Amino acid sequence: MSETRPNFLAGFGSLVWLLVVGLPLYVMLVATFQSRPDYAANGPLALPGRFTLDNYLDVLDSGFAQYFLNTLVVTVCVVGIVLLLVPPLAYTIVRGRGRATGTVFRLFLLGLAIPSQAVIVPMFFVISEAGLYDSLIGVILPTAAFAMPVSTLILSGVMRDITPDLYEAMTVDGASPRRVFFQLVLPLSRSGLSTIVVFSALQAWNGFLFPLVLTQSAETKVITLGLYEFQTEHGVDTPGLLAAVVLSMLPILLVYLFARRSLVQGLMGVGGK
């Protein structure tokens, strides 16, 4: 029986990758438990001489709860809009035979080539004329619009993997297109649905440009804008800023952990197999 020889090169590569991934997390987490003078004196790599939770308490006292709630509302609404519109749109693209269907799909693909920075000025005027400036709905609508092209591409790729035999079997049984959609397509597209949920949630949670341009009051401020409050004219409160970053990343990290398997499967289905 041959002995398996240890792969030292792979082990060394794994150790290097662990350091690349783990060192930034270590620096971030350790800094949140240090006071600002200790962090400045000891540097980012040193263990804190005295653990403190003051940074997290200061974050919670600085209006973070309101920013968190606003971001949560934006994220839930964006995900809801994407889940409401993208599945029937992707189903129509996959099963449609008309020229209009292909034209609509190409228009959505064109949206992938248009960065949000290129349309932020006309978007500002449209939102202002609609009376939605400095409101959460004024952030939700453009964020959902820019999440839809990629979500449509992902979900239509997943739906194309459903074999035609399944469609034909349900059609022979007398199933209507609506019944086929709800009883066949949606259950078999769970991985794609999970993917677009995570993608659109990330887009909304980490959104910066639309909230920056389309809002101005503290009541509509989101987390990404709230992080600015830890920067003053005298410097940056690094421990407080990193504590706010840790708190802001926890919800979206939990979403990713629960949906990571479906996320990978959904991305593998883009464009068909």
Side-chain angles (χ1 to χ4, degrees):
M1 183 175 180
S2 59
E3 296 182 359
T4 303
R5 303 178 65 179
N7 192 336
F8 294 104
L9 183 61
F12 177 75
S14 300
L15 180 61
V16 172
W17 180 248
L18 179 62
L19 290 175
V20 170
V21 174
L23 186 59
L25 293 177
Y26 165 81
V27 171
M28 180 175 64
L29 291 175
V30 168
T32 62
F33 297 107
Q34 299 186 68
S35 64
R36 190 173 179 180
D38 290 342
Y39 179 83
N42 299 329
L45 297 179
L47 285 172
R50 181 179 62 88
F51 282 87
T52 178
L53 295 176
D54 291 343
N55 294 312
Y56 291 98
L57 297 177
D58 291 341
V59 169
L60 296 177
D61 292 337
S62 65
F64 181 85
Q66 181 65 48
Y67 307 153
F68 184 94
L69 179 60
N70 291 340
T71 308
L72 184 62
V73 170
V74 170
T75 302
V76 171
C77 291
V78 168
V79 172
I81 292 173
V82 169
L83 286 180
L84 181 65
L85 299 180
V86 170
L89 176 61
Y91 176 64
T92 303
I93 290 171
V94 172
R95 298 295 295 169
R97 297 294 182 265
R99 182 176 297 179
T101 302
T103 302
V104 171
F105 186 50
R106 285 190 288 271
L107 286 176
F108 269 83
L109 292 181
L110 182 62
L112 298 175
I114 302 176
S116 57
Q117 294 86 349
V119 298
I120 190 61
V121 174
M123 185 69 67
F124 171 80
F125 284 107
V126 169
I127 294 296
S128 299
E129 289 296 322
L132 299 177
Y133 179 74
D134 199 26
S135 66
L136 293 182
I137 189 66
V139 177
I140 291 169
L141 293 179
T143 303
F146 274 86
M148 286 182 63
V150 175
S151 299
T152 303
L153 179 64
I154 292 172
L155 197 57
S156 60
V158 172
M159 289 182 179
R160 285 194 179 95
D161 290 336
I162 301 175
T163 59
D165 295 339
L166 295 177
Y167 289 109
E168 294 175 2
M170 291 201 69
T171 303
V172 170
D173 290 341
S176 63
R178 181 177 180 179
R179 180 183 169 191
V180 171
F181 176 70
F182 284 103
Q183 295 187 4
L184 174 66
V185 176
L186 288 184
L188 294 181
S189 303
R190 287 192 299 268
S191 62
L193 293 173
S194 299
T195 303
I196 66 174
V197 165
V198 175
F199 171 77
S200 56
L202 282 171
Q203 291 288 101
W205 192 270
N206 296 325
F208 178 77
L209 182 62
F210 289 139
L212 177 65
V213 177
L214 302 178
T215 63
Q216 65 176 0
S217 63
E219 290 76 15
T220 57
K221 188 176 292 187
V222 295
I223 286 178
T224 50
L225 297 182
L227 296 178
Y228 265 124
E229 295 191 354
F230 296 93
Q231 180 177 351
T232 66
E233 61 181 3
H234 302 293
V236 179
D237 182 6
T238 303
L241 175 61
L242 294 179
V245 170
V246 170
L247 291 176
S248 64
M249 66 182 286
L250 287 179
I252 207 67
L253 178 61
L254 292 176
V255 171
Y256 173 77
L257 289 177
F258 282 106
R260 66 187 185 279
R261 182 173 298 178
S262 298
L263 176 65
V264 173
Q265 293 175 354
L267 291 176
M268 289 175 62
V270 176
K273 293 183 180 179

